[in-house]
Amino acid sequence: MMGKLTKGNRWLLIAVFALICSFNGVKEKSLHIVFIGDSITFGAGVTDRDQFAPPVIAASYLKQMPLVKNVHFFNAGKSGATTVDFLPGTGNFNRAVQAADGFNRDIQQLSEEQRKTDLLVFSIMLGTNDSAIEGPNGAPVTPDRYRQNLTVIIDRLLVLYPACKIVLQEAPWYSDNTYNGSKYLKAGRERLLSYQPVLSALVASYKKEKPGSVLLGDKTAFSYFKKNYAHAMKPEKGHQGIFYLHPDNSGSTVLGDKWAKAIYKAAFKNPD
């Protein structure tokens, strides 16, 4: 029986996958990535956002991967944000679109042949604040409303950027005493867990409507941080004692690694 894959072996498998793609005529691509999310995406728990925020880590890993020609990214993470805060017309959505427009203009200036190898990607990880009992805008957000909000966001992005790919990433676990300016607690964490099948269902529905455009990203963040929170998340003082909500430098590095693998798979699994 095959043993558990190490981080190095997982990347080796991806490199082998890339080599197979190259033999099948898949060309190098430049990736233009907009990361949509909350304080976790923003990098609230790390010591240096420019070095350790998950989007920075993800971009760094992607630059090392075969078939990746270049990586440009924008961190649109906003502390406290919910899916409500990223609905079309909000300042957060407009900021993400402004970054995507800039990337899109760069792509459109290329030759027709070059445009085929430049890809706009949206990596979305929202849900932590939606799941709260009270505090964040719109919280608590039911699974049905969570799906509706994400659908509105995705549909608008696909109208604006028909050739883009959207990767839906799973939100990490948080401790059942999480209570800072907002109240999360065990009930919130259980609600966060209920969002996971929503992501899978969304991807399945778009697979029929617009194949290859909306893809399921990382599905292991919740279980990883549940098991490893003591050395992967920042201890924070709250109304019910020390809680764990934000990845620290170590955890953010792991999360960025997970996002990178998911984005890489989305970029090359469904070649143009």
Side-chain angles (χ1 to χ4, degrees):
M1 183 177 355
M2 181 180 293
K4 186 175 180 181
L5 288 175
T6 65
K7 179 179 175 181
N9 286 339
R10 289 198 302 271
W11 277 107
L12 178 60
L13 287 177
I14 291 177
V16 171
F17 166 71
L19 185 61
I20 293 171
C21 286
S22 66
F23 280 118
N24 289 331
V26 179
K27 297 180 180 179
E28 287 186 329
K29 291 183 180 180
S30 288
L31 305 179
H32 306 262
I33 311 167
V34 179
F35 291 91
I36 291 175
D38 49 36
S39 58
I40 295 171
T41 299
F42 177 78
V46 304
T47 57
D48 183 350
R49 290 183 54 247
D50 292 334
Q51 184 177 357
F52 292 109
V56 178
I57 299 296
S60 178
Y61 277 131
L62 284 166
K63 289 176 182 177
Q64 302 172 41
M65 294 305 299
L67 299 176
V68 176
K69 185 166 56 177
N70 211 335
V71 179
H72 306 276
F73 75 95
F74 179 78
N75 185 349
K78 179 69 174 178
S79 293
T82 62
T83 53
V84 176
D85 292 310
F86 270 96
L87 289 172
T90 61
N92 292 314
F93 184 86
N94 291 341
R95 190 164 64 99
V97 164
Q98 185 177 16
D101 282 345
F103 290 149
N104 214 32
R105 282 193 297 270
D106 293 340
I107 294 172
Q108 295 307 312
Q109 290 174 4
L110 300 172
S111 67
E112 183 177 351
E113 187 63 27
Q114 287 176 313
R115 284 200 296 271
K116 295 178 181 178
T117 61
D118 277 60
L119 181 64
L120 177 62
V121 180
F122 292 91
S123 174
I124 301 177
M125 195 202 76
L126 291 167
T128 298
N129 294 307
D130 295 71
S131 72
I133 295 172
E134 62 181 41
N137 186 25
V141 176
T142 66
D144 284 344
R145 177 60 64 180
Y146 178 71
R147 176 169 180 160
Q148 291 172 26
N149 290 346
L150 281 177
T151 300
V152 171
I153 295 168
I154 292 168
D155 284 350
R156 185 56 182 161
L157 291 177
L158 290 176
V159 167
L160 292 172
Y161 316 102
C164 79
K165 290 187 182 292
I166 298 171
V167 183
L168 302 180
Q169 313 275 18
E170 179 181 291
W173 170 95
Y174 57 78
S175 61
D176 62 9
N177 66 332
T178 299
Y179 187 179
N180 46 24
S182 298
K183 184 187 292 187
Y184 298 83
L185 305 180
K186 186 175 181 179
R189 193 186 65 209
E190 292 303 310
R191 188 162 27 252
L192 179 65
L193 194 59
S194 74
Y195 295 159
Q196 292 180 8
V198 173
L199 297 179
S200 298
L202 266 176
V203 170
S205 67
Y206 280 100
K207 186 176 182 179
K208 297 178 181 179
E209 301 169 13
K210 199 169 175 60
S213 294
V214 181
L215 302 115
L216 195 58
D218 172 68
K219 298 183 291 183
T220 64
F222 190 96
S223 59
Y224 175 82
F225 285 97
K226 179 181 180 180
K227 181 179 179 181
N228 298 285
Y229 71 91
H231 58 81
M233 304 185 88
K234 179 182 178 181
E236 301 177 66
K237 187 175 181 179
H239 297 297
Q240 291 195 6
I242 300 299
F243 67 90
Y244 296 87
L245 172 65
H246 298 105
D248 59 14
N249 291 1
S250 174
S252 186
T253 299
V254 171
L255 190 61
D257 170 63
K258 293 177 180 296
W259 290 0
K261 288 196 284 287
I263 292 168
Y264 188 85
K265 184 177 179 181
F268 294 100
K269 184 180 179 182
N270 300 281
D272 296 326

